[in-house]
Amino acid sequence: MDSQTSQPSQASPSPHTFQVDLRGLVDLLSHHLYSSPKVYLRELLQNAVDAITARRAEDPDAPATVRLYAEDGTLRVEDSGIGLTESDVHSLLATIGRSSKRNDGLESARSDFLGQFGIGLLACFVVAERIRVVSRSARTPDAAPVEWTAADDGSYTVRVLPHEARAEPGTTVHLVARAGAGEWLSEERVRSLARDFGALLPYDVRIGDEAIADLPAPWDRPHPSPFARRAALARHCRELFGFTPLDSIDLDVPLAGIRGVAYVLPTAVSPAQRASHRVHLKGMLLTERAEQLLPDWAFFVRCVLDTDSLRPTASRESLYEDETLAAVREALGERIRSWLTGLAAGDPERLAAFLSVHHLGVKSLARHDAGMLRTMLPWLPFETTDGRLSLEEFAQRHQVVHFTRTVEEYRQVAPIASAQGVGVVNGGYTYDSELIEALPAVRPGTAVSELDADTVTAHLDTVDPAEELALAGFLAAARARLDPLNCDVVLRAFHPLSVPALHLDDRAARHEQARAEAEEQADDLWAGILGSLRGSAPRARLVLNHLNPLIRRISSLGDPDLVGTATESLYGQALLMAQRPLRPADSALLNRAFIGLLEWATHTDPGKDDRR
């Protein structure tokens, strides 16, 4: 190929400029970036506050006012901020993504500003079809006022106005509502949104003559007594979140620039429920749904706070997950820990009231924090055979702290263990077994042991060998009937006398039972594999109470079939008493035993009168 034909392939391609479809971008903002059209007012307030901040950085005595006027589907927002020149308007307002906070040497001072992304004014197109901005620069006093007018089709015009069009530096933004959005620019709606977003702003913000800011913040206001402060914060919580808190916790982290309060919920909530908190950024409400602000275990509080250190996302409706947020989360969690420790040390009544509702949250914290477990040990409630007690009280009563890992296991053994003097803690609830196993670490010398079927059986009285030998035929028939269910039958004497039989198993026995059932239903290949996994764990057992009159009568029956039917009935009744879930085989057994007993009870012997 000659040089002439190869020349075009060597030429550099001409650069092109991205084209922006403003209407498409507005649709993207309204449906995907912002959660609601209401954010338009936050963006207007934010721009006004940032403009005032920029002006006061150069002139600390400059006025700091924002005024909002809503009427007939229009809104006017005036501020006494830094203002713009004609070149600023072309550079900043007409260039999507460019922010004044990145220019003119202000990069190092970005932490003083709310907005950092250069897209805030676009949010106004969510509710407005036209935006008009009139501004005069405080940095260039001799510059004439400038007007920038933009439509939602992406077009805009700029013109220089006479000096008398705006005598003082600052900016005025005019909005004209788009079709169907007039309600968002009504005076009532603007007032409500301004109060919500701007209640903690440090400047003089008014709608008409009505002040919007409500300073100082509720947690910074002076009160004549701690009781009066607690009552005032409770009122604030009712107004903000709609509930009266059990207590309030100050959240003061000076190094992170955080001030606020956490309100303790008056009712229990699920640990899986994500808590939502209100976060203000330099006085402006950032979000009402900050979920990652506190550690997961602190699901029993709702927070409201103001910060100047946390970083917002582009939509400014949530927090950016970074190292700063992680450090703040840990610091706020420490404040809540300190509050709990203080209650344990000086206000046991309030602590008891709190734990009666939120013990699950404290248990979640204590399982990872030995210091918190040690502090809360005398207070955290557990279900035990001695009643509802703390682990500290229970360990003082029993040399060995026995526990079960499931609620079903506890229900099996609780009545019998209690009658035999064996103390058992129900570890089947969330976090309980982990805390029980951690007990020796915070209470040295305490013996903790998981309760199994062998331990329970060992605490039951054995039957005289001669009596048990006399009942060998009865026991053989009973064992033969329950053998297909992988359940053994043993005879013991125990209290209470009213319990005829006790079903005992453990996790290993249930695992072996499940394996055997799967093996029966599997094809030859899987049956062989499952057979190779056969365990040596003891089988479940039905413990018959030799002291119970019904057991004595059944053991004297001479009919092996009737003994088998009665044994199946006792087995089913023991399962039901333990509130165990029934397998299909168990349900079939119960039905078969019930029908068998009915047939026996209604059987008519030929040659005799019908039984009455």
Side-chain angles (χ1 to χ4, degrees):
M1 182 179 294
D2 60 21
S3 59
Q4 289 183 341
T5 57
S6 63
Q7 186 65 31
S9 63
Q10 297 174 357
S12 300
S14 300
H16 298 279
T17 302
F18 281 105
Q19 302 297 311
V20 176
D21 179 355
L22 186 59
R23 284 180 175 169
L25 185 57
V26 169
D27 180 73
L28 179 66
L29 293 175
S30 60
H31 291 95
H32 300 283
L33 184 62
Y34 296 121
S35 62
S36 166
K38 69 180 182 180
V39 298
Y40 86 92
L41 190 65
R42 184 194 62 200
E43 300 297 338
L44 289 174
L45 287 175
Q46 171 188 288
N47 286 343
V49 169
D50 283 345
I52 293 172
T53 301
R55 185 175 180 185
R56 283 206 158 181
E58 300 180 3
D59 179 8
D61 296 325
T65 62
V66 181
R67 298 291 183 266
L68 299 92
Y69 304 94
E71 183 179 4
D72 298 331
T74 64
L75 175 64
R76 185 170 85 254
V77 181
E78 300 177 352
D79 70 67
S80 60
I82 194 69
L84 301 171
T85 63
E86 182 180 3
S87 61
D88 292 334
V89 166
H90 284 288
S91 175
L92 300 176
L93 297 187
T95 305
I96 295 172
R98 180 172 296 175
S99 171
S100 63
K101 273 69 78 176
R102 300 193 188 102
N103 296 281
D104 299 319
L106 292 177
E107 180 68 27
S108 61
R110 284 179 63 191
S111 62
D112 293 333
F113 297 92
L114 299 174
Q116 301 172 2
F117 298 94
I119 60 175
L121 197 59
L122 286 180
C124 295
F125 280 120
V126 175
V127 297
E129 66 178 8
R130 188 169 71 256
I131 302 174
R132 176 170 167 259
V133 178
V134 176
S135 186
R136 183 166 187 167
S137 175
R139 285 184 183 148
T140 313
D142 296 334
V146 61
E147 178 190 71
W148 177 84
T149 304
D152 60 0
D153 62 0
S155 63
Y156 74 92
T157 61
V158 178
R159 66 189 182 106
V160 177
L161 302 177
H163 282 271
E164 59 270 17
R166 186 176 179 98
E168 298 295 329
T171 301
T172 301
V173 179
H174 303 260
L175 301 186
V176 177
R178 65 169 54 250
E183 190 271 338
W184 287 104
L185 270 62
S186 67
E187 183 176 4
E188 181 179 356
R189 176 58 68 91
V190 169
R191 177 182 292 106
S192 174
L193 293 178
R195 284 175 175 170
D196 200 30
F197 286 122
L200 301 183
L201 288 175
Y203 301 137
D204 181 13
V205 182
R206 296 175 182 268
I207 177 167
D209 294 328
E210 180 182 345
I212 296 302
D214 186 19
L215 296 175
W219 47 86
D220 287 330
R221 294 172 189 169
H223 296 281
S225 67
F227 176 80
R229 184 175 189 274
R230 190 177 299 129
L233 289 176
R235 288 193 300 271
H236 176 248
C237 180
R238 285 194 298 272
E239 296 169 0
L240 200 63
F241 294 117
F243 64 86
T244 300
L246 284 177
D247 207 347
S248 56
I249 308 169
D250 284 322
L251 301 178
D252 185 5
V253 187
L255 291 178
I258 286 178
R259 287 283 295 158
V261 62
Y263 294 115
V264 181
L265 291 166
T267 55
V269 293
S270 168
Q273 179 178 332
R274 300 292 295 180
S276 297
H277 311 289
R278 288 176 65 96
V279 177
H280 295 256
L281 180 61
K282 305 178 186 69
M284 180 74 74
L285 178 65
L286 180 70
T287 179
E288 300 174 278
R289 298 185 300 275
E291 295 183 347
Q292 68 274 48
L293 186 64
L294 294 181
D296 291 340
W297 55 261
F299 54 82
F300 50 83
V301 299
R302 296 291 180 270
C303 295
V304 54
L305 56 82
D306 188 27
T307 176
D308 61 14
S309 65
L310 297 180
R311 179 182 171 191
T313 59
S315 67
R316 287 180 290 282
E317 295 187 291
S318 59
L319 298 172
Y320 190 83
E321 185 69 47
D322 57 12
E323 293 180 357
T324 301
L325 180 57
V328 166
R329 185 186 299 121
E330 179 60 32
L332 294 180
E334 185 56 39
R335 294 297 183 274
I336 298 175
R337 286 189 187 93
S338 298
W339 171 76
L340 286 170
T341 303
L343 288 187
D347 201 340
E349 291 185 2
R350 284 170 64 197
L351 178 63
F354 166 76
L355 289 178
S356 67
V357 178
H358 296 299
H359 57 272
L360 195 59
V362 180
K363 287 180 177 180
S364 174
L365 170 59
R367 68 191 177 122
H368 296 303
D369 190 324
M372 184 56 62
L373 177 58
R374 188 177 294 105
T375 300
M376 293 290 110
L377 194 61
W379 307 100
L380 289 174
F382 289 79
E383 182 180 1
T384 79
T385 49
D386 292 352
R388 198 162 181 80
L389 300 174
S390 70
L391 289 181
E392 177 69 27
E393 293 176 284
F394 190 83
Q396 291 174 357
R397 299 185 183 187
H398 300 277
Q399 292 183 342
V400 179
V401 177
H402 293 288
F403 73 98
T404 63
R405 291 193 181 275
T406 68
V407 175
E408 290 79 10
E409 291 174 3
Y410 178 79
R411 288 170 178 165
Q412 288 178 22
V413 303
I416 309 304
S418 179
Q420 304 303 125
V422 180
V424 184
V425 182
N426 184 356
Y429 296 115
T430 307
Y431 311 132
D432 282 10
S433 61
E434 297 173 73
L435 294 176
I436 297 167
E437 289 180 306
L439 186 57
V442 298
R443 196 178 189 276
T446 303
V448 173
S449 175
E450 182 177 354
L451 191 68
D452 56 22
D454 288 335
T455 303
V456 177
T457 305
H459 280 83
L460 304 180
D461 295 335
T462 58
V463 178
D464 181 85
E467 293 186 55
E468 186 167 2
L469 182 61
L471 298 176
F474 159 71
L475 292 175
R479 288 167 179 151
R481 184 60 64 97
L482 295 187
D483 185 68
L485 296 173
N486 294 310
C487 182
D488 200 1
V489 177
V490 296
L491 188 66
R492 292 291 187 273
F494 56 86
H495 293 273
L497 301 180
S498 58
V499 177
L502 176 66
H503 180 271
L504 293 177
D505 64 359
D506 51 30
R507 286 182 298 166
R510 287 195 295 274
H511 177 76
E512 174 62 19
Q513 192 176 61
R515 187 210 58 77
E517 291 177 357
E519 182 180 355
E520 291 179 0
Q521 300 172 7
D523 56 28
D524 292 341
L525 173 61
W526 280 107
I529 295 174
L530 292 170
S532 67
L533 300 176
R534 183 178 295 110
S536 59
R539 304 198 303 174
R541 65 196 68 175
L542 183 68
V543 183
L544 303 179
N545 188 359
H546 187 56
L547 301 180
N548 180 268
L550 177 62
I551 296 298
R552 288 181 175 272
R553 288 196 296 271
I554 294 175
S555 64
S556 64
L557 295 174
D559 185 347
D561 289 337
L562 185 54
V563 168
T565 300
T567 302
E568 288 180 337
S569 299
L570 290 170
Y571 173 83
Q573 189 263 352
L575 286 180
L576 294 175
M577 289 296 293
Q579 302 183 41
R580 288 288 306 279
L582 299 180
R583 301 170 297 161
D586 297 329
S587 299
L589 174 144
L590 277 171
N591 184 63
R592 182 172 65 248
F594 178 72
I595 297 300
L597 289 177
L598 282 179
E599 289 178 347
W600 176 81
T602 58
H603 175 71
T604 301
D605 191 355
K608 293 187 179 181
D609 294 335
D610 290 344
R611 296 180 181 178
R612 295 290 184 258

